[in-house]
Amino acid sequence: MSFTAFEMHLSNFATLVWGWPMLIALMVTGIWLTVLLRGLQFRMLLPAMYDAFCPHSRHTRGEGMISNRSALFTALAATVGTGNIAGVATAIALGGPGAMFWMWMSGLFGMALKFSEALLGVHYRVKDKNGQFRGGPMYYLTHGAKAPWLGAVFAGALAFAALCTGGMVQNNSIADAMLAGFGLNPTWVGLAVTAVSAAVMLGGLGRIARAADLLVPSMIVVYAAAGTLVIVVNSAMLPQILHAIFTEAFTGSAAAGGFAGSSVLLAMRYGLARGVFANESGLGSAPIVAATAQTRHPTEQALVSMTQTFIDTFFVCTFTGMVILITGAWQSLDVASAGASLTNLAFNQGLGNVALAGIPLGSGIVSLCLLLFAFTTILGWGFYGQQGAMYLLGPKVAKPYLWLFLACTFFGAAILDWAESIRQGVHFIWVLADLGTAAMMLPNLFGLLVMSGTIKKLAFDYIQHTRTGKPLLHKPFYFTAVPAKAPVKAVKAKPKTKAKIKPRAKPRKRR
């Protein structure tokens, strides 16, 4: 079987997996949790944003390994990645403007999903013999849903998805952008990114968190500033683009220019799939790092984690989508792939093809941001994948898995040289990512539905406490402590011997 035939069969299978059943399961779970929590993502968004970026005295640190802020930025580092640049581009290239609407829907209800999974991640976290916290769907499926087999299934899916989503896709998009913007060889670019990633990841979670704290805020600000400039310059097209987004989400998109046309199902399929890939709501990845946060109560960290989805979808992804649509780049044939090179073209056109020192300004901004986005995502997903592998095979597998992860990271870039075309190399890696995210999502959504009562109880207990000052009905943490030592064998008790009865002393006579 040729590579082209294999890629086609794999793509058909991914389309089947991401058909109506998956889309319905995702939306129904998000809507159900939104109703159950009484629209918590709308009511508590501003307080959650304030707590995330302006910590104050009432938030004393609780048990954990890293601060709330570091946990947020580490999760954002893994969340804000190529899905925000290349993923949005592929969604629009295949689904049309209507895909943006469904991407927003994935973020709207995804905030409830992210809140719920982060809450359970802290609630059912465990402490190992070294005093380190571990958590995620594999733990709350085991201890909360009482389904250890499903926890093992999720852990295996996580270990596989990290190789595809965290390693291959990120380096693939970096190499694609560097090839399109500067003509750099994908294999050599992939090798350089892999080497730098190894240097950081071998330092553990602490080094990853420090890198995220440094890079995440600055890279988001730079990208947002460039996107805002393009939208302002082309603001005359904004009403027309917004109309197309909201109408073509339900009518489909006609063929125009290099765009082949799209149906409602394709717009919904690619909008939701790429939206979930970008914000990771419902995947169960964010609870893994949320479980390490120093927090007093599961709900406190869950509210902070919820802001990840808002920042990712309604901020970074929206800038990418609007720039691609408002410049008309999505209808162009002048791109080697439908991924990062399409975003490159859009920013170049939006900034008037201005060049600095012979380098197009748009390509420079996109390539730099994509490099930072993808690099931090590689770091975060490397940690996620290790946790899945360690859950299944124990701590000894951590280093071998890390080297496997780095090898797959390199492969993601090198395939652009090995495939028959750049577009084929990009599409093949994204198909693998779709399969990996689907494998993670199904067991995680099941766990959220089964434990929705626990989610509601913990959430409203905390909210009532902070508003009225009433005491918490539940303890701050419900982690299952892993014994530091093996249980001591019971020792047979010696048979009791009858004690000798001493004669009573004669009472003294009173004078």
Side-chain angles (χ1 to χ4, degrees):
M1 181 186 295
S2 66
F3 180 79
T4 302
F6 175 72
E7 188 266 340
M8 183 180 67
H9 289 308
L10 201 64
S11 179
N12 291 336
F13 180 63
T15 302
L16 179 65
V17 169
W18 273 100
W20 283 110
M22 175 67 80
L23 301 178
I24 291 172
L26 178 67
M27 295 302 292
V28 166
T29 306
I31 293 170
W32 164 245
L33 290 173
T34 298
V35 173
L36 188 73
L37 297 171
R38 302 175 191 172
L40 179 140
Q41 68 263 47
F42 309 114
R43 297 183 293 109
M44 299 294 293
L45 179 60
L46 291 180
M49 293 287 286
Y50 181 76
D51 291 344
F53 295 101
C54 305
H56 44 86
S57 58
R58 77 175 179 85
H59 282 261
T60 56
R61 291 183 178 181
E63 293 190 65
M65 296 163 59
I66 58 178
S67 67
N68 292 78
R69 175 187 169 88
S70 293
L72 171 65
F73 284 148
T74 302
L76 266 175
T79 304
V80 180
T82 58
N84 302 85
I85 295 179
V88 176
T90 56
I92 294 174
L94 298 171
M100 276 302 301
F101 173 85
W102 295 110
M103 193 173 293
W104 287 336
M105 289 300 100
S106 77
L108 195 65
F109 297 109
M111 284 192 284
L113 292 169
K114 184 65 69 72
F115 170 87
S116 301
E117 59 190 12
L119 182 144
L120 293 176
V122 178
H123 186 66
Y124 289 104
R125 67 184 183 176
V126 304
K127 182 188 283 187
D128 65 17
K129 63 182 180 180
N130 298 318
Q132 295 186 336
F133 288 91
R134 305 190 187 281
M138 50 274 200
Y139 293 96
Y140 58 70
L141 287 170
T142 298
H143 301 296
K146 306 298 182 184
W149 66 273
L150 203 55
V153 168
F154 178 87
L158 172 63
F160 168 74
L163 301 178
C164 305
T165 304
M168 294 183 193
V169 166
Q170 310 306 320
N171 215 5
N172 179 272
S173 295
I174 291 175
D176 180 28
M178 293 299 175
L179 178 63
F182 310 104
L184 298 179
N185 180 267
T187 300
W188 288 109
V189 170
L191 185 62
V193 172
T194 303
V196 177
S197 300
V200 177
M201 293 173 65
L202 290 172
L205 179 61
R207 189 178 294 177
I208 294 173
R210 288 192 295 272
D213 283 344
L214 177 65
L215 295 176
V216 169
S218 56
M219 69 186 188
I220 291 177
V221 169
V222 170
Y223 191 70
T228 301
L229 179 60
V230 174
I231 293 172
V232 169
V233 171
N234 299 274
S235 58
M237 292 291 296
L238 192 58
Q240 180 182 338
I241 295 303
L242 290 174
H243 180 266
I245 290 173
F246 286 97
T247 56
E248 294 181 22
F250 303 98
T251 61
S253 304
F259 180 67
S262 174
S263 64
V264 175
L265 179 58
L266 282 176
M268 190 175 183
R269 178 253 193 271
Y270 286 107
L272 290 176
R274 295 295 181 260
V276 170
F277 182 86
N279 60 47
E280 298 181 15
S281 298
L283 290 190
S285 55
I288 298 170
V289 70
T292 66
Q294 297 168 341
T295 184
R296 301 175 304 164
H297 192 276
T299 306
E300 182 178 277
Q301 180 58 35
L303 287 169
V304 173
S305 296
M306 182 181 72
T307 63
Q308 299 167 26
T309 300
F310 178 81
I311 294 169
D312 184 275
T313 306
F314 295 98
F315 198 69
V316 186
C317 285
T318 297
F319 276 116
T320 302
M322 296 306 294
V323 169
I324 291 173
L325 292 172
I326 208 167
T327 58
W330 64 288
Q331 299 175 352
S332 176
L333 289 172
D334 299 329
V335 288
S337 72
S341 57
L342 176 57
T343 310
N344 254 334
L345 176 66
F347 271 85
N348 279 333
Q349 291 181 351
L351 296 175
N353 293 309
V354 175
L356 297 176
I359 300 175
L361 180 60
S363 293
I365 292 173
V366 171
S367 298
L368 175 62
C369 290
L370 181 61
L371 178 62
L372 294 175
F373 285 2
F375 175 67
T376 54
T377 302
I378 290 171
L379 302 182
W381 272 91
F383 174 74
Y384 292 162
Q386 273 187 317
Q387 300 307 302
M390 290 167 62
Y391 180 87
L392 290 175
L393 303 174
K396 292 183 179 179
V397 79
K399 281 291 175 66
Y401 178 85
L402 178 58
W403 290 115
L404 174 63
F405 178 85
L406 292 170
C408 290
T409 301
F410 171 71
F411 171 78
I415 195 175
L416 295 181
D417 279 337
W418 304 339
E420 296 178 12
S421 67
I422 299 297
R423 183 180 288 267
Q424 184 187 63
V426 170
H427 188 248
F428 173 72
I429 295 297
W430 279 96
V431 168
L432 289 178
D434 281 348
L435 292 175
T437 54
M440 289 176 61
M441 185 178 298
L442 288 174
N444 186 51
L445 292 180
F446 171 80
L448 295 180
L449 290 172
V450 168
M451 290 177 280
S452 56
T454 302
I455 294 168
K456 180 181 179 182
K457 186 185 298 182
L458 282 170
F460 285 104
D461 171 46
Y462 177 80
I463 293 171
Q464 185 181 35
H465 167 74
T466 54
R467 287 183 176 177
T468 63
K470 293 182 179 180
L472 290 165
L473 300 178
H474 301 272
K475 295 179 181 179
F477 300 100
Y478 277 73
F479 59 83
T480 305
V482 176
K485 297 180 180 179
V488 181
K489 294 182 179 179
V491 180
K492 292 183 178 180
K494 295 180 179 180
K496 294 182 179 179
T497 57
K498 294 183 178 180
K500 294 181 179 180
I501 301 174
K502 296 181 179 180
R504 293 182 178 181
K506 293 181 180 180
R508 294 181 181 180
K509 293 181 180 181
R510 295 181 179 177
R511 292 181 180 179

